[in-house]
Amino acid sequence: GMRRGLVGAQARLAGDKKSRMRAPCTALGAPSLIFLHGISTISFQTWLSQFKQLKDYALPNSSWSQGMMDLYSKFLEMCKDGTWKRIPSYNRTVDHIPGKAGSNEKEQKKTRLFLRSMDAEGVGFEYAMFFNPSEKRMVCLFQPGPYLEGPPGFAHGGSTAAIIDSTVGSCALVVAGRAMTANLSINYRSPIPLGSVVLVDSKVDQVEERKVFLSCEVRSIDGQTLHAEATGKDLAAGFHR
Ligand SMILES: CCCCCCCC(=O)SCCNC(=O)CCNC(=O)[C@H](O)C(C)(C)COP(=O)(O)OP(=O)(O)OC[C@H]1O[C@@H](n2cnc3c(N)ncnc32)[C@H](O)[C@@H]1OP(=O)(O)O
């Protein structure tokens, strides 16, 4: 009931019953905000049409817990007035790059975005990101699945690093247009139970020419437990190398 209602709400928000397959335009709002370069080389319509066949993985599926659904629903609400933007997610890195999305190049068919590498729903990284432009803040709702185990019953530190890197990297990418993580320093404060839901909350603290300085906290939904905190530096270069 709740879940179906939410998916319905999502579809209505996107204004299309096939929103599962094609949410990015509505979700991103103004793509020029996200991608500060390259957009002029192809027509806007062509760029949009490339997303049509792509499956968006940042939408609810049956593996999402009630906690994950509730949080997702809360963030969708906050998207209504434009304060937050839902960020779509694909299973190939190339599909996030304007002008290259939907590419059929042979080599790119074989590669996967690391966090979307597991085909079964719920076993690996289940996550959805939301961006707040005025705060230059990217929040990722993250539900680690059973295949991310490190200590028995808890998420592997590398998986935590991966979700932090991706959230911080996406934040830098949205703010700076291009981004490559140059440095990431993580303090692990409290283990993350598999199947729980945490908030990976990152923001840009400072931009100095090509350097983007970011900080990030991973907390339980109620905010009471600090699981990890990180600082990072992204360089706004190299992504298209
Ligand atoms: C949609 C999906 C989003 C997913 C996001 C995922 C994000 C990622 O995982 S990225 C992958 C992991 N990162 C990498 O592989 C990066 C590997 N490193 C590199 O390619 C290069 O070192 C790169 C591009 C970061 C920097 O190289 P380059 O552009 O030549 O910079 P360089 O000229 O050496 O340094 C520029 C400045 O940055 C500083 N800097 C460079 N590296 C670092 C570092 N590791 N730590 C701190 N500062 C650094 C330098 O000191 C220099 O500062 P200044 O100008 O004041 O002297």
Side-chain angles (χ1 to χ4, degrees):
M2 164 75 190
R3 188 158 303 177
R4 195 177 297 155
L6 222 150
V7 175
Q10 166 64 34
R12 279 193 299 282
L13 194 76
D16 187 333
K17 63 176 189 265
K18 285 186 183 150
S19 63
R20 270 189 81 83
M21 310 296 274
R22 52 152 83 172
C25 346
T26 42
L28 288 173
S32 55
L33 170 76
I34 313 296
F35 306 109
L36 303 174
H37 60 93
I39 194 82
S40 59
T41 58
I42 49 164
S43 86
F44 184 67
Q45 280 307 322
T46 309
W47 182 70
L48 287 185
S49 70
Q50 290 172 331
F51 287 103
K52 280 184 183 162
Q53 297 82 26
L54 301 179
K55 176 175 169 168
D56 184 348
Y57 287 81
L59 292 173
N61 66 53
S62 59
S63 78
W64 285 21
S65 66
Q66 194 60 52
M68 182 79 166
M69 292 300 299
D70 291 348
L71 207 54
Y72 181 78
S73 160
K74 193 179 127 188
F75 272 89
L76 268 193
E77 273 301 309
M78 297 192 293
C79 286
K80 284 184 176 163
D81 66 358
T83 313
W84 290 83
K85 310 266 181 213
R86 199 186 70 85
I87 303 293
S89 170
Y90 311 105
N91 66 0
R92 301 189 312 166
T93 307
V94 70
D95 292 329
H96 299 80
I97 302 173
K100 294 196 178 173
S103 163
N104 273 328
E105 280 171 44
K106 218 174 172 188
E107 265 176 40
Q108 282 158 350
K109 275 188 170 169
K110 284 188 253 167
T111 61
R112 285 275 189 99
L113 177 63
F114 172 47
L115 274 68
R116 299 293 184 195
S117 62
M118 290 174 218
D119 284 319
E121 287 173 350
V123 299
F125 296 88
E126 288 296 336
Y127 65 96
M129 293 188 197
F130 292 86
F131 182 66
N132 183 318
S134 66
E135 295 178 354
K136 292 186 178 143
R137 181 174 166 205
M138 185 74 80
V139 167
C140 175
L141 327 182
F142 173 44
Q143 179 186 296
Y147 290 3
L148 301 187
E149 188 167 58
F154 296 98
H156 193 287
S159 72
T160 306
I163 198 74
I164 292 174
D165 184 26
S166 250
T167 306
V168 160
S170 299
C171 190
L173 189 63
V174 171
V175 170
R178 296 181 178 199
M180 194 82 158
T181 310
N183 171 275
L184 184 61
S185 171
I186 302 174
N187 287 315
Y188 295 94
R189 299 292 186 197
S190 166
I192 302 174
L194 295 174
S196 70
V197 180
V198 295
L199 278 166
V200 184
D201 192 345
S202 74
K203 66 174 177 16
V204 170
D205 293 322
Q206 211 179 327
V207 180
E208 287 173 11
E209 295 179 5
R210 291 169 55 211
K211 294 180 206 166
V212 185
F213 296 85
L214 300 111
S215 53
C216 182
E217 279 190 356
V218 183
R219 284 187 179 273
S220 55
I221 300 178
D222 64 9
Q224 294 301 299
T225 309
L226 177 64
H227 291 292
E229 54 193 342
T231 52
K233 187 197 275 184
D234 270 57
L235 285 164
F239 195 74
H240 297 263
R241 268 184 197 170

